[in-house]
Amino acid sequence: MADRIAADLVVERLRAWRVPRAFGYPGAAIAPIVAALDRAGGDPEFVPARHEEAAAFMATGHAKFTDGIGVCLATQGPSAVQLLNGLYDAKLDSKPVVALVGEDVSGPLGGAHQEIGLTRLFADVCNQFVHYARSAAQVPTLLDQAFRTAAATRSPVCVVLPRQVQEAAVPDLHAYGIGVITATPGEPLARVLPHEVDLAAAAQLLGAGQRVAILVGQGAQDAEHEVVALADRLGAGVACSLLGKPVLDERLPYHAGVLGEVGTRAAAELMGGCDTLLLVGTNDPWTSYLPMPGQVRTVQIDIDGRRVGSRYPVDVPLVGDAAETLRALLARVPDRPSPQWRATVENSVDRWRRELVDRASAPAEPVNPQLVLQELSARLPRTGSVAVDVGSVIYWYARHLELQPGVNAQLCGTLGSMGCALPYAVAAKLAAPDQPVIALLGDGAMQLNGLAELVTVAHHWPRWRDPRLVVLVLNNRDQSGMGAGRQPVTDPAQRRPDVPYAGWARLLGLHGVRVDRPELVGAAWDEALAADRPCVVEAVVDAAVPLAPPEPALADLRGLFADGDAARRVREQVDRQISVAADDIV
């Protein structure tokens, strides 16, 4: 190509790293790269968002749903600042994202329009790699280093590309010794297995357990069969972190569901009753729902050694890939199922599932939000993706939406930022346009940026082979955002403005259904999933339905032990915690 510029090199490196699309918001400082993407004819595709924050969430959503590397573009100043929320989502949930930030600063430093210190701005969120390109010759190697670092560290990175560099003519790269990448994006850099002595110790500890519990996180996503095989061999019960919810088939009779504040009573009971705990690929922050330290012996598997023992004391740490490590354990753990413990777990799960039905059928004004998710669960497509936002919807998703194998669900798990679900859904749909996608969010998240990004959906959907992108908006008009269970706000000034969400969808040429009676919920889902275009289901729900977090495992500890000394030790630990908490309050 004649007159190639460095912006064309950027596109070539994106293509070399098999990046299918880049999300961003165009502006003068990034214009040469956007123009180069346009010349590339969709390989890779440029997807403009309505806001830079949404573009960063789309890039992170792409990484979460595809296990690839997400890419987002922005310009300097406020545009760069607005990338941070989505990039912190990637950092805290360990997902690889490359942020390409354009800068157009001329004149004396410190006085340019929209000039801020980009290196310092991204120093924390992209602490593994933040670099400026100073010349066109640096661009290929710099981008390769950025992608390698993002993949190896499972974190966001940033490359700042001044406009003058983007527009610079491409030199003879061979004179600079520029090479070509050989690694395939997304491939593990190495086979990681624990030491033999640690595997033997873990197998002995697990084999000696009488009441084994397994907690799976997102790091176990490729180890479903190994987790189930080990659970059956030990007669263990299983629970999952919020991010680990899609890992296992939730119909398993011994699957106690999500652990934590948004989770289930059965999962809390499992933690309260076990004597041996296996943590697989989880960095769950709700440690108060884990067994009291000293109650159990613990094995933790994680590919990142920095996380082993960082949340909870561990007897045997295993640094390695989850599936490979579990296979190695299966070869060493004796076949010693505990039928009495397994039956106890299954009875607890059965009780909880019956309680869920009762909760969903409880009267509410006008609609019980738990019913909305319960009815979706019965109709959830067997393949596709679910994107979940932050707010009370997480509670109903965690408990009432039963995920089957083949359904991938993602959320902003560790950062907990509102406004992620619709950008996630766009990324998931663009990655698999032949699969259905469902976004679950509240009216607060919808007003935050969902209304705007519905414009993005309206722009892209005619090219999708499967038009189903269903957006559920739980409209409770609760200004507090997480106020379910409180008395409804009666002061109009304290209520969130009521927006016609389904009407807005219809105005954009999409489908919209409004539900304000419980008997219409099932039919609304049927209509939305049968529509010939994306659909917004607006469910007018009761803000006073209680969130009802389960009691932590500590609530059940005192009566679990036949060993009087063990019971005494646990009581002393609990009493010490209560005393410390009282001192803190004083």
Side-chain angles (χ1 to χ4, degrees):
M1 171 196 266
D3 300 321
R4 287 170 73 228
I5 61 175
D8 297 306
L9 292 180
V10 173
V11 173
E12 290 173 13
R13 301 325 294 158
L14 295 181
R15 191 179 295 138
W17 280 92
R18 302 182 188 176
V19 174
R21 61 193 57 86
F23 307 91
Y25 194 91
I30 205 74
I33 292 178
V34 173
L37 287 166
D38 186 59
R39 290 193 296 274
D43 182 21
E45 176 187 13
F46 175 61
V47 180
R50 314 276 74 77
H51 192 281
E52 292 89 350
E53 179 182 89
F57 274 134
M58 289 176 187
T60 300
H62 174 88
K64 290 185 175 185
F65 280 107
T66 69
D67 292 327
I69 301 175
V71 175
C72 55
L73 311 178
T75 66
Q76 67 201 47
S79 181
V81 171
Q82 288 162 176
L83 287 180
L84 291 180
N85 213 29
L87 294 179
Y88 270 109
D89 178 22
K91 178 181 180 178
L92 297 184
D93 281 355
S94 300
K95 299 302 175 184
V97 172
V98 176
L100 303 178
V101 181
E103 184 179 62
D104 188 7
V105 176
S106 57
L109 292 175
H113 182 56
Q114 294 187 329
E115 180 190 348
I116 60 175
L118 294 176
T119 302
R120 294 184 66 184
L121 177 70
F122 291 101
D124 181 60
V125 68
C126 298
N127 63 308
Q128 297 291 338
F129 189 95
V130 183
H131 284 281
Y132 265 83
R134 302 297 183 185
S135 68
Q138 293 177 350
V139 168
T141 300
L142 199 57
L143 288 178
D144 288 350
Q145 290 174 349
F147 275 92
R148 286 194 186 99
T149 303
T153 63
R154 299 175 298 281
S155 67
V157 300
C158 177
V159 178
V160 180
L161 297 160
R163 177 161 180 158
Q164 295 88 335
V165 171
Q166 298 174 47
E167 295 175 325
V170 175
D172 179 8
L173 297 180
H174 295 290
Y176 292 88
I178 302 299
V180 178
I181 62 170
T182 57
T184 301
E187 283 187 347
L189 299 181
R191 184 186 183 203
V192 183
L193 272 173
H195 294 293
E196 288 291 330
V197 63
D198 296 322
L199 288 168
Q204 183 178 16
L205 187 154
L206 294 171
Q210 299 297 313
R211 304 187 301 275
V212 180
I214 302 175
L215 178 64
V216 299
Q218 64 169 341
Q221 64 180 351
D222 296 321
E224 174 192 355
H225 299 297
E226 290 80 3
V227 170
V228 170
L230 186 60
D232 287 341
R233 179 165 296 184
L234 297 171
V238 300
C240 62
S241 70
L242 186 58
L243 287 173
K245 183 175 166 72
V247 171
L248 300 178
D249 186 346
E250 293 195 289
R251 298 170 298 178
L252 291 169
Y254 52 86
H255 193 320
V258 174
L259 181 71
E261 182 181 320
V262 303
T264 75
R265 178 178 290 115
E269 290 175 350
L270 174 67
M271 293 297 121
C274 67
D275 64 7
T276 306
L277 178 61
L278 172 62
L279 305 170
V280 185
T282 176
N283 193 37
D284 195 274
W286 275 312
T287 54
S288 63
Y289 285 86
L290 292 174
M292 190 70 183
Q295 173 197 337
V296 300
R297 301 194 67 194
T298 305
V299 176
Q300 183 175 359
I301 301 171
D302 203 293
I303 198 167
D304 189 342
R306 295 172 297 181
R307 292 182 174 170
V308 176
S310 64
R311 299 277 191 186
Y312 190 77
V314 174
D315 294 286
V316 182
L318 297 178
V319 178
D321 173 78
E324 295 245 28
T325 302
L326 287 168
R327 282 195 288 269
L329 283 176
L330 281 166
R332 295 165 172 81
V333 172
D335 189 5
R336 295 181 57 187
S338 178
Q340 183 177 1
W341 170 240
R342 174 61 70 84
T344 300
V345 173
E346 292 183 359
N347 287 336
S348 173
V349 172
D350 285 340
R351 288 195 305 273
W352 169 250
R353 289 175 178 170
R354 291 194 298 269
E355 182 179 336
L356 281 178
V357 175
D358 293 338
R359 290 187 180 193
S361 60
E365 183 57 41
V367 176
N368 187 333
Q370 298 171 107
L371 175 65
V372 179
L373 272 296
Q374 190 92 346
E375 291 289 341
L376 170 61
S377 189
R379 296 166 171 80
L380 191 67
R382 294 184 178 273
T383 59
S385 302
V386 177
V388 189
D389 220 294
V390 172
S392 59
V393 68
I394 286 184
Y395 289 75
W396 319 139
Y397 155 76
R399 299 167 186 166
H400 292 272
L401 191 64
E402 188 177 76
L403 299 181
Q404 300 180 29
V407 178
N408 189 1
Q410 299 291 340
L411 68 159
C412 185
T414 310
L415 180 63
S417 177
M418 286 178 61
C420 62
L422 203 45
Y424 278 11
V426 170
K429 193 65 179 180
L430 291 173
D434 58 342
Q435 298 289 325
V437 175
I438 297 173
L440 308 175
L441 56 161
D443 52 341
M446 192 64 176
Q447 290 188 24
L448 188 65
N449 60 25
L451 291 171
E453 293 310 324
L454 212 57
V455 176
T456 306
V457 174
H459 175 71
H460 285 279
W461 81 264
R463 296 190 292 275
W464 296 338
R465 289 189 292 276
D466 184 330
R468 289 178 294 175
L469 192 160
V470 181
V471 180
L472 169 67
V473 181
L474 293 178
N475 183 7
N476 66 10
R477 293 172 292 168
D478 182 5
Q479 193 68 37
S480 71
M482 289 286 285
R486 301 181 304 120
Q487 290 299 314
V489 177
T490 56
D491 182 356
Q494 299 298 319
R495 293 183 69 90
R496 184 176 288 116
D498 197 6
V499 174
Y501 304 102
W504 171 239
R506 291 191 291 268
L507 187 63
L508 293 174
L510 309 177
H511 195 60
V513 182
R514 189 173 191 269
V515 181
D516 56 7
R517 300 206 309 272
E519 63 270 19
L520 300 178
V521 172
W525 280 119
D526 292 335
E527 182 178 340
L529 291 167
D532 64 351
R533 61 196 61 210
C535 178
V536 170
V537 176
E538 177 189 351
V540 185
V541 297
D542 192 345
V545 173
L547 298 177
E551 290 292 326
L554 292 176
D556 297 322
L557 286 182
R558 297 175 188 265
L560 284 174
F561 298 93
D563 180 352
D565 290 337
R568 177 181 52 77
R569 288 195 297 271
V570 171
R571 283 197 299 272
E572 290 173 351
Q573 289 171 324
V574 173
D575 291 341
R576 280 197 298 272
Q577 280 206 343
I578 294 172
S579 177
V580 170
D583 291 342
D584 289 342
I585 293 172
V586 174

